[in-house]
Each structure stands twice: as structure tokens, then as C-alpha cells.
Amino acid sequence: SATGTANWTRVASSGNTLRAIAYGASKFVAVGDGGVVRISSDNGSTWSAQAFPVSQQLKSVIHDGTRFIAIGSSSTVIHSTDGVTWTAGATVTAGKSLTGLAYKPTGNYVTVASDGTVYATADATTGAWTAGTSGTTNQFNSVAYVNNLFVAVANGGHIRTSSTGAGTWTSVTNSNTSHLNAVAFAGTTYVAVG
């Protein structure tokens, strides 16, 4: 944790690898391997362990303004308004290793999977997830909603975009064939790292 960006302090580890973090409802929620969930309400200084809501690896978590939603292996989708009590969400096709999650305010939730599939729903708590067409079987590692566009990045340098998250995604020309793990946007520039 850090106040500002200059000085970072290591905080005691959970014992399980933490893979994603989100902020909402005045708290940080971190998720990871074995279904671990940790919460901090004091800007990351201390973390409380929560009962593991699932045993699957959780790979991504977001806060949509109302609730936390986490996704992971074995098609896991769970949600919570407080980070403490979690409920199973809408089911994605069985057996998928979900790797990324993004949300378009007043629009869809999108999740991507390790087999190159993409799914969208208007309601991640109870709605049905509908498969889109990504045009790749490469492992997606992340998806973000930035600059009014869903952008998914994958192994092999593959990048796909969609304005809604549903239907057919557009392939972006990229001469880099490295694995891409995350994407962000600032002003006029998209940056993907891997």
C-alpha cells in the first residue's frame, strides 16, 4: 500500500496469491487463488480475511458502483455488495477459465476466457451470459472498458475491440506477437503490456 506513489509499504501476505483488486463502497477488495478474499477499509494499511466464498481461483474483480463482482476458473462468477457476503452470479458456459472482467456503465458486463471466448450480459448477478465472436482461440488475459470501447488483450499479441461487448469483436492490427496481459487508456493513447 502507499499514500501517493512515492513510498510503498509491504503489508502482511494472505498466504494465497492475490490476483486482482478493486475499490468501491469505501473499501478495497482483493481476490485470488483458492477463492481468497481480503478487505481493507483503511486505505490498505490492514486487511481482514473473509470466509472463502468459493474454492476456485479468482482472477478479476470490479466494483460497478453497486456491488463487487469477481470471476475465475470453472466459470465462477460471484457478487457481493459489501465484500463479505458473496452470492453466485449468472452462469457462464461450464468449464471456462475466466480471466478478465469489465463493465460499461449503463451497458454490458464482459468477461473473457483462456480459450479465446468472450461473453456479455446486462446483469452479472442473474442475467444470461451470451457468447460473442472473438475470432481467436488464443488465451485472453484481460479486458477493460476504456474510451467507450471494450478492449481485450491475449496471448500472441492479439487485441480485440467491441463497443457493446456482444456479437462480433473487431481484430486490431498488431505487429507484436508477445503475450499481452493488460490494457489502459490515457487521453489519446491505448497502452497494452505483456
Side-chain angles (χ1 to χ4, degrees), residues 103-131:
Y103 170 66
K104 174 183 179 179
T106 68
N108 282 338
Y109 298 84
V110 168
T111 189
V112 295
S114 63
D115 63 357
T117 53
V118 294
Y119 297 90
T121 185
D123 181 357
T125 61
T126 61
W129 291 87
T130 302

Side-chain angles (χ1 to χ4, degrees), residues 168-188:
T168 301
W169 286 55
T170 302
S171 177
V172 175
T173 302
N174 178 23
S175 60
N176 181 349
T177 58
S178 298
H179 295 338
L180 299 175
N181 296 321
V183 62
F185 176 80
T188 59

Side-chain angles (χ1 to χ4, degrees), residues 123-193:
D123 181 357
T125 61
T126 61
W129 291 87
T130 302
T133 303
S134 71
T136 185
T137 57
N138 285 35
Q139 175 175 312
F140 279 116
N141 296 312
S142 184
V143 62
Y145 183 74
V146 291
N147 193 33
N148 298 314
L149 199 64
F150 286 103
V151 180
V153 295
N155 288 352
H158 291 268
I159 302 171
R160 299 295 188 267
T161 63
S162 172
S163 59
T164 65
T168 301
W169 286 55
T170 302
S171 177
V172 175
T173 302
N174 178 23
S175 60
N176 181 349
T177 58
S178 298
H179 295 338
L180 299 175
N181 296 321
V183 62
F185 176 80
T188 59
T189 305
Y190 292 92
V191 176
V193 296

